[in-house]
């Protein structure tokens, strides 16, 4: 019996919502660094909040953006022999040649 683990999903429910999360995350990082001369090292406490907005790291946010944009347009199809491909959603499966 073959078991597969579900892929991690970093996508948001919509592109504008995902972009808003990115703006908040990048704003928190930039703000925490830019405010160090004014407020002192305490401003760096805002940086971990960016990780919450990003759901991990900026790379996780970028992967989620790609997933959010492609949601419903692409799907992963796996054959019985374990070969997986990326295909347009709703398109009939290609037969091997």
């Amino acid at each position: 019996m073959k078991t597969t683990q579900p892929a991690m999903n970093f996508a948001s429910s919509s592109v504008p919502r995902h972009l808003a999360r990115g703006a908040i995350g990048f704003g928190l990082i930039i703000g925490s660094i830019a405010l160090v001369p004014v407020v002192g090292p305490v401003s760096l406490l805002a940086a971990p909040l960016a990780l919450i907005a990003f759901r991990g790291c900026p790379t996780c946010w970028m992967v989620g953006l790609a997933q959010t944009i492609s949601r419903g347009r692409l799907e992963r199809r796996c054959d019985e022999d374990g070969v997986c491909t990326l295909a347009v959603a709703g398109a009939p499966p290609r037969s091997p040649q």
Side-chain angles (χ1 to χ4, degrees), residues 8-72:
M8 295 219 31
N9 188 5
F10 295 103
S12 295
S13 58
S14 69
V15 173
R17 181 174 290 179
H18 197 85
L19 292 175
R21 280 188 27 243
I24 291 168
F26 285 114
L28 284 168
I29 288 176
I30 292 168
S32 69
I33 294 170
L35 290 175
V36 168
V38 178
V39 182
V42 75
S43 69
L44 296 175
L45 293 175
L49 297 176
L51 298 178
I52 294 170
F54 287 139
R55 291 186 190 163
C57 61
T59 304
C60 301
W61 180 83
M62 298 281 274
V63 168
L65 180 61
Q67 288 178 345
T68 302
I69 291 171
S70 70
R71 176 175 279 172

